[in-house]
């Protein structure tokens, strides 16, 4: 852990982490994909003081009937939420197993412009063979090949974000020039399965580089800003954190909290009658808010942040907002984003220098020294 406070993120896709969460939602099923629903959940998270919301995605439906079988793209939802929020970070989950990294880079750079520097990217992978057919691409079959696509995709996106220097847009009325073409650069990436020339079609993002999050081992630590570590107990999380090698580490925690109407265990049992809550190797808290507060306090000794996966958003997010975040704030254990700050600034990460500008400056310095 490198910072003085714990940053809290929350996953807000669908109705919650449980596949049958919609059965306990406070709205009718046809309201799930409406803009009002997405904006309301994001507003609750922002007002509660969360640092970041993440939005899951994938080319395949998230569930099988009668559970939810559709979602709107995460980048599109993120752009919509960006316009209705002002301080919270927004990170869509975008796989690059089959998607074109050039397009992904452009979408995410645009999101950073729309959100005024509050965008992140959770790198994930399309693991089901049906995804290849949906994309019309050859199957990326094994874990090693999927990791290669993620690694190359992140490398391409980061290079494209730097392909425009910060001052490439000059808007010179006197010379009728909008761009300084000398400050745009080819990236000339050649990987095992594709090549990308560049430059980007979107100016450098406000943050320079978006905050990139992923599970350790899927993307090299040097390409990540935040590792999302898992573990069924504190010792496992601490060990994963020590091995991550990234500037920041967030622990993945699933929560089912006691509410005024039912305990967390009763709510889980109710939903388990319809579908299992699959164990994904994450810490899981089922019970009262004060025990979650104690768990987060303990986690703050090991990690920089926690991404929460609520059982049912309409039930657990309310408890998190009323009881958990206020208690952590009173103990000065959580950091609320400030207006006008970028996600990188909130997380205590520096804005990276442009690689091409830095290289040109180094060459100029060498010439001056001769």
């Amino acid at each position: 852990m490198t910072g003085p406070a714990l940053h809290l993120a929350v996953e807000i896709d669908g109705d919650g982490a449980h596949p049958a969460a919609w059965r306990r939602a406070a709205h009718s099923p046809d309201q799930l994909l409406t803009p009002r629903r997405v904006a309301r959940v994001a507003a609750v998270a922002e007002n509660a003081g969360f640092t970041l919301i993440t939005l899951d995605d994938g080319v395949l439906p998230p569930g099988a009937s009668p559970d939810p079988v559709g979602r709107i793209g995460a980048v599109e939802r993120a752009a919509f939420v960006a316009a209705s929020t002002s301080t919270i970070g927004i990170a869509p989950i975008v796989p690059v197993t089959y998607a074109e990294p050039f397009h992904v880079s452009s979408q995410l750079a645009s999101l950073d412009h729309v959100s005024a520097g509050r965008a992140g990217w959770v790198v994930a992978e399309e693991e089901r063979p049906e995804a290849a057919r949906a994309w019309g691409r050859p199957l990326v079959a094994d874990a090693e090949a999927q990791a290669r696509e993620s690694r190359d995709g992140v490398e391409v996106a980061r290079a494209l974000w730097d392909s425009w220097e910060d001052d490439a847009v000059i808007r010179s009325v006197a010379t009728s020039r909008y761009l300084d073409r000398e400050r745009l650069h080819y990236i000339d990436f050649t990987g095992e399965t594709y090549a990308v020339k560049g430059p980007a079609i979107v100016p450098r993002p406000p943050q320079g580089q978006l905050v990139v999050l992923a599970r350790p081992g899927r993307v090299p630590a040097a390409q990540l800003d935040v590792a999302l570590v898992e573990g069924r107990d504190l010792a496992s999380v601490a060990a994963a954190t020590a091995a991550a090698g990234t500037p920041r580490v967030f622990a993945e925690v699933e929560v089912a909290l006691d509410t005024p109407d039912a305990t967390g265990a009763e709510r889980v049992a109710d939903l388990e009658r319809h579908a299992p809550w699959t164990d994904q190797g994450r810490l899981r808290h089922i019970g009262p808010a004060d025990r979650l507060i104690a768990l987060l306090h303990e986690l703050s000794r090991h990690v920089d942040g926690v991404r929460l996966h609520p059982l049912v958003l309409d039930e657990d997010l309310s408890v998190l907002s009323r009881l958990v975040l206020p208690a952590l704030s009173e103990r000065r254990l959580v950091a609320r984003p400030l207006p006008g700050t970028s996600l990188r600034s909130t997380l205590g990460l520096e804005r990276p220098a442009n690689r091409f500008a830095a290289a040109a400056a180094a060459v100029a310095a060498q010439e001056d020294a001769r």
Side-chain angles (χ1 to χ4, degrees):
M1 179 179 174
T2 54
L6 193 68
H7 298 282
L8 292 184
V10 59
E11 167 57 47
I12 65 167
D13 182 61
D15 279 314
H18 197 285
W22 65 274
R23 294 176 179 275
R24 299 186 64 90
H27 61 85
S28 60
D30 64 342
Q31 297 296 306
L32 175 61
L33 302 182
T34 61
R36 178 175 298 180
R37 157 75 181 170
V38 175
R40 185 181 69 79
V41 173
V44 171
E46 181 172 66
N47 293 335
F50 279 97
T51 294
L52 178 68
I53 54 176
T54 63
L55 299 137
D56 201 359
D57 203 357
V59 72
L60 301 175
S65 181
D67 295 324
V69 292
R71 58 160 63 104
I72 298 172
V75 176
E76 289 78 8
R77 281 180 289 161
F80 174 77
V81 166
S84 62
T85 55
S86 58
T87 60
I88 196 167
I90 307 162
I93 296 173
V94 186
V96 283
T97 310
Y98 301 106
E100 295 278 359
F102 188 93
H103 296 158
V104 171
S105 168
S106 299
Q107 290 177 316
L108 294 170
S110 300
L111 176 62
D112 203 42
H113 283 284
V114 170
S115 65
R118 292 183 286 127
W121 174 20
V122 181
V123 184
E125 287 151 8
E126 300 272 16
E127 298 178 346
R128 295 163 59 186
E130 297 91 330
R133 292 196 292 272
W135 279 99
R137 297 288 178 85
L139 176 65
V140 181
D142 56 68
E144 183 177 347
Q146 292 168 6
R148 177 199 63 212
E149 295 304 303
S150 292
R151 179 192 66 229
D152 288 355
V154 173
E155 183 175 342
V156 166
R158 284 194 177 279
L160 287 169
W161 293 334
D162 273 351
S163 65
W164 291 46
E165 295 184 30
D166 289 312
D167 51 1
V169 179
I170 55 177
R171 297 188 181 91
S172 173
V173 176
T175 62
S176 298
R177 295 170 66 216
Y178 182 77
L179 291 173
D180 181 349
R181 60 184 300 176
E182 300 300 321
R183 297 174 186 172
L184 268 60
H185 304 276
Y186 295 122
I187 67 169
D188 291 324
F189 171 85
T190 301
E192 295 181 36
T193 57
Y194 59 83
V196 177
K197 185 72 172 176
I201 57 174
V202 180
R204 196 174 192 229
Q207 296 181 97
Q209 296 276 317
L210 274 68
V211 176
V212 180
L213 310 91
R215 288 185 298 163
R218 313 310 296 167
V219 177
Q223 293 184 335
L224 292 179
D225 297 295
V226 180
L228 299 171
V229 301
E230 299 173 338
R232 294 184 176 87
D233 52 48
L234 283 171
S236 299
V237 170
T241 301
T246 51
R248 299 289 180 268
V249 177
F250 277 33
E252 301 272 33
V253 179
E254 298 171 334
V255 294
L257 294 164
D258 293 352
T259 70
D261 300 322
T263 66
E266 290 171 341
R267 295 168 53 230
V268 171
D270 177 42
L271 295 179
E272 291 290 278
R273 295 185 295 114
H274 306 286
W277 193 11
T278 305
D279 182 350
Q280 301 192 46
R282 298 168 175 164
L283 266 176
R284 181 174 288 184
H285 170 78
I286 301 175
D290 59 351
R291 280 177 33 205
L292 176 61
I293 293 167
L295 173 62
L296 294 174
H297 191 182
E298 186 61 31
L299 280 169
S300 71
R301 306 179 195 277
H302 305 285
V303 298
D304 304 287
V306 172
R307 182 165 70 145
L308 299 172
H309 299 261
L311 180 79
V312 179
L313 278 170
D314 285 343
E315 295 179 327
D316 294 284
L317 193 53
S318 174
V319 179
L320 291 168
S321 301
R322 290 186 297 105
L323 300 178
V324 177
L325 272 81
L328 294 171
S329 181
E330 288 180 4
R331 301 180 190 188
R332 299 185 178 182
L333 281 177
V334 294
R336 174 185 285 269
L338 299 175
T341 56
S342 69
L343 179 57
R344 297 193 74 87
S345 296
T346 298
L347 295 176
L349 299 169
E350 293 184 357
R351 186 180 190 277
N354 183 287
R355 70 188 68 184
F356 295 101
V363 170
Q366 289 178 349
E367 292 177 349
D368 291 342
R370 290 173 183 172

